[in-house]
Coordinates of all heavy atoms in Angstrom, one line a residue:
E117 N 0.8 -1.2 0.0 CA 0.0 0.0 0.0 C 0.9 1.3 0.0 O 0.5 2.3 -0.7 CB -0.9 0.0 1.2 CG -2.1 -1.1 1.1 CD -3.1 -0.8 2.1 OE1 -2.8 -0.6 3.3 OE2 -4.3 -0.8 1.7
Q118 N 2.0 1.2 0.7 CA 2.9 2.4 0.8 C 3.5 2.6 -0.6 O 3.5 3.8 -1.1 CB 4.0 2.1 1.8 CG 3.5 2.1 3.2 CD 4.6 1.7 4.2 OE1 5.6 1.1 3.8 NE2 4.4 1.9 5.5
V119 N 4.0 1.5 -1.3 CA 4.6 1.7 -2.6 C 3.5 2.1 -3.6 O 3.8 3.0 -4.4 CB 5.2 0.3 -3.0 CG1 5.6 0.4 -4.5 CG2 6.4 0.0 -2.2
L120 N 2.3 1.6 -3.5 CA 1.3 1.9 -4.5 C 0.9 3.4 -4.3 O 0.7 4.1 -5.4 CB 0.0 1.1 -4.2 CG -1.1 1.2 -5.2 CD1 -0.7 0.8 -6.6 CD2 -2.3 0.3 -4.7
A121 N 0.9 3.9 -3.1 CA 0.5 5.3 -2.9 C 1.6 6.3 -3.4 O 1.3 7.4 -3.7 CB 0.3 5.6 -1.4
Q122 N 2.8 5.8 -3.6 CA 3.9 6.6 -4.0 C 4.3 6.4 -5.5 O 5.3 7.0 -6.0 CB 5.2 6.3 -3.1 CG 5.0 6.6 -1.7 CD 6.1 6.0 -0.8 OE1 7.0 5.5 -1.3 NE2 5.9 6.2 0.5
T123 N 3.5 5.6 -6.2 CA 3.9 5.2 -7.5 C 2.9 5.7 -8.6 O 1.7 5.6 -8.3 CB 4.0 3.7 -7.7 OG1 4.9 3.2 -6.7 CG2 4.5 3.2 -9.0
N124 N 3.4 6.2 -9.7 CA 2.5 6.5 -10.8 C 2.4 5.2 -11.6 O 3.3 4.9 -12.4 CB 3.2 7.6 -11.6 CG 3.2 9.0 -10.9 OD1 2.2 9.3 -10.2 ND2 4.2 9.7 -11.1
V125 N 1.3 4.6 -11.4 CA 1.1 3.2 -12.1 C 0.8 3.4 -13.5 O -0.1 4.1 -13.9 CB 0.1 2.4 -11.3 CG1 -0.2 1.1 -12.0 CG2 0.5 2.3 -9.8
N126 N 1.5 2.6 -14.4 CA 1.1 2.5 -15.8 C 0.1 1.4 -15.9 O 0.4 0.2 -15.8 CB 2.3 2.2 -16.6 CG 2.0 2.1 -18.1 OD1 1.0 2.5 -18.5 ND2 2.9 1.4 -18.8
P127 N -1.2 1.7 -16.1 CA -2.3 0.7 -16.1 C -2.4 -0.1 -17.3 O -3.3 -0.1 -18.0 CB -3.5 1.6 -15.9 CG -3.2 2.8 -16.6 CD -1.7 3.1 -16.4
T128 N -1.3 -1.0 -17.5 CA -1.4 -2.0 -18.6 C -2.4 -3.0 -18.2 O -2.8 -3.1 -17.0 CB 0.0 -2.6 -18.8 OG1 0.3 -3.4 -17.6 CG2 1.1 -1.6 -19.1
P129 N -2.9 -3.8 -19.1 CA -3.9 -4.9 -18.8 C -3.4 -5.8 -17.7 O -4.1 -6.2 -16.8 CB -4.1 -5.6 -20.1 CG -3.9 -4.5 -21.1 CD -2.7 -3.7 -20.6
E130 N -2.1 -6.1 -17.8 CA -1.5 -7.1 -16.8 C -1.4 -6.4 -15.4 O -1.8 -7.0 -14.4 CB -0.1 -7.5 -17.2 CG -0.1 -8.4 -18.4 CD -0.2 -7.6 -19.7 OE1 -0.1 -6.3 -19.7 OE2 -0.3 -8.2 -20.8
V131 N -1.0 -5.2 -15.3 CA -0.9 -4.5 -14.0 C -2.3 -4.3 -13.5 O -2.6 -4.5 -12.3 CB -0.2 -3.1 -14.2 CG1 -0.4 -2.3 -12.9 CG2 1.3 -3.3 -14.5
S132 N -3.3 -3.9 -14.3 CA -4.7 -3.7 -13.8 C -5.2 -5.0 -13.3 O -5.9 -5.0 -12.2 CB -5.5 -3.2 -14.9 OG -5.1 -1.9 -15.4
Y133 N -5.0 -6.1 -13.9 CA -5.4 -7.4 -13.5 C -4.8 -7.7 -12.1 O -5.6 -8.1 -11.2 CB -5.0 -8.5 -14.4 CG -5.1 -9.9 -13.9 CD1 -6.3 -10.6 -13.9 CD2 -4.0 -10.6 -13.3 CE1 -6.4 -11.9 -13.4 CE2 -4.1 -11.9 -12.8 CZ -5.3 -12.5 -12.9 OH -5.4 -13.8 -12.3
C134 N -3.5 -7.4 -11.9 CA -2.9 -7.7 -10.6 C -3.5 -6.8 -9.5 O -3.7 -7.3 -8.4 CB -1.4 -7.5 -10.7 SG -0.5 -8.7 -11.7
L135 N -3.7 -5.5 -9.8 CA -4.2 -4.6 -8.8 C -5.6 -5.0 -8.3 O -5.9 -5.0 -7.1 CB -4.2 -3.2 -9.3 CG -2.9 -2.6 -9.7 CD1 -3.1 -1.2 -10.3 CD2 -2.0 -2.4 -8.4
Q136 N -6.4 -5.5 -9.3 CA -7.8 -5.9 -8.9 C -7.7 -7.2 -8.1 O -8.5 -7.4 -7.2 CB -8.6 -6.1 -10.2 CG -10.1 -6.4 -9.9 CD -10.8 -5.3 -9.1 OE1 -10.7 -4.1 -9.5 NE2 -11.4 -5.6 -8.0
F137 N -6.8 -8.1 -8.6 CA -6.7 -9.4 -7.9 C -6.3 -9.2 -6.4 O -6.9 -9.9 -5.5 CB -5.6 -10.2 -8.6 CG -5.5 -11.7 -8.2 CD1 -6.2 -12.6 -8.9 CD2 -4.8 -12.1 -7.1 CE1 -6.2 -14.0 -8.5 CE2 -4.7 -13.4 -6.7 CZ -5.4 -14.3 -7.4
V138 N -5.4 -8.3 -6.2 CA -5.0 -8.0 -4.8 C -6.1 -7.4 -4.0 O -6.4 -7.8 -2.8 CB -3.8 -7.1 -4.8 CG1 -3.5 -6.6 -3.4 CG2 -2.6 -7.8 -5.3
R139 N -6.8 -6.4 -4.6 CA -7.9 -5.8 -3.9 C -9.0 -6.8 -3.4 O -9.6 -6.7 -2.3 CB -8.6 -4.7 -4.8 CG -7.8 -3.4 -4.8 CD -8.7 -2.3 -5.4 NE -9.0 -2.5 -6.8 CZ -8.2 -2.1 -7.8 NH1 -7.1 -1.4 -7.6 NH2 -8.6 -2.4 -9.1
D140 N -9.3 -7.7 -4.3 CA -10.3 -8.7 -4.0 C -10.0 -9.7 -2.9 O -10.9 -10.4 -2.4 CB -10.6 -9.5 -5.3 CG -11.3 -8.7 -6.4 OD1 -11.8 -7.6 -6.1 OD2 -11.3 -9.2 -7.5
R141 N -8.7 -9.7 -2.5 CA -8.3 -10.7 -1.5 C -7.7 -10.1 -0.2 O -6.9 -10.7 0.5 CB -7.3 -11.7 -2.2 CG -8.0 -12.6 -3.1 CD -7.0 -13.2 -4.1 NE -7.8 -14.1 -5.0 CZ -8.5 -13.7 -6.0 NH1 -8.6 -12.4 -6.3 NH2 -9.2 -14.5 -6.8
Q142 N -8.0 -8.9 0.0 CA -7.5 -8.2 1.2 C -7.8 -9.0 2.5 O -7.0 -9.0 3.4 CB -8.0 -6.8 1.3 CG -7.5 -6.0 2.5 CD -7.9 -4.5 2.5 OE1 -8.6 -4.1 1.6 NE2 -7.5 -3.8 3.5
A143 N -9.0 -9.6 2.6 CA -9.4 -10.3 3.8 C -8.6 -11.5 4.0 O -8.5 -12.0 5.2 CB -10.9 -10.7 3.7
L144 N -7.9 -12.1 3.0 CA -7.1 -13.3 3.1 C -5.8 -13.0 3.9 O -5.2 -13.9 4.5 CB -6.7 -13.8 1.7 CG -5.7 -14.9 1.6 CD1 -6.3 -16.2 2.3 CD2 -5.5 -15.2 0.1
V145 N -5.3 -11.7 3.9 CA -4.0 -11.4 4.3 C -3.7 -11.8 5.8 O -2.6 -12.2 6.1 CB -3.8 -9.8 4.1 CG1 -2.6 -9.3 4.9 CG2 -3.8 -9.5 2.7
H146 N -4.7 -11.7 6.6 CA -4.5 -11.8 8.1 C -4.8 -13.2 8.6 O -4.6 -13.4 9.9 CB -5.3 -10.8 8.9 CG -5.0 -9.4 8.5 ND1 -4.0 -8.6 9.2 CD2 -5.5 -8.5 7.6 CE1 -3.9 -7.4 8.8 NE2 -4.8 -7.3 7.7
V147 N -5.1 -14.1 7.8 CA -5.7 -15.4 8.3 C -4.7 -16.2 9.2 O -5.1 -16.6 10.3 CB -6.2 -16.3 7.2 CG1 -5.0 -16.6 6.2 CG2 -6.8 -17.6 7.7
L148 N -3.4 -16.3 8.8 CA -2.5 -17.0 9.7 C -2.0 -16.2 10.8 O -1.8 -16.8 12.0 CB -1.3 -17.5 8.8 CG -1.6 -18.6 7.8 CD1 -0.3 -19.1 7.1 CD2 -2.4 -19.8 8.4
E149 N -1.7 -15.0 10.6 CA -1.2 -14.1 11.7 C -2.3 -14.0 12.8 O -2.0 -13.9 14.0 CB -0.8 -12.8 11.2 CG 0.5 -12.8 10.5 CD 1.7 -13.4 11.3 OE1 1.9 -12.9 12.4 OE2 2.3 -14.4 10.9

């Protein structure tokens, strides 16, 4: 999130796919911790 906030993202189809993929799985992040 820190890097994303400081970066001018070039929204290629691949980058956009990755950004959406990550957004959709935020709830997964904390399961083991």
Side-chain angles (χ1 to χ4, degrees):
E117 289 194 311
Q118 291 171 346
V119 169
L120 187 62
Q122 299 167 3
T123 303
N124 292 321
V125 178
N126 180 19
T128 65
E130 292 81 9
V131 169
S132 296
Y133 166 84
C134 288
L135 295 176
Q136 186 62 50
F137 192 92
V138 169
R139 278 194 296 270
D140 290 344
R141 286 158 182 79
Q142 183 174 355
L144 173 63
V145 169
H146 297 271
V147 60
L148 292 186
E149 286 303 305

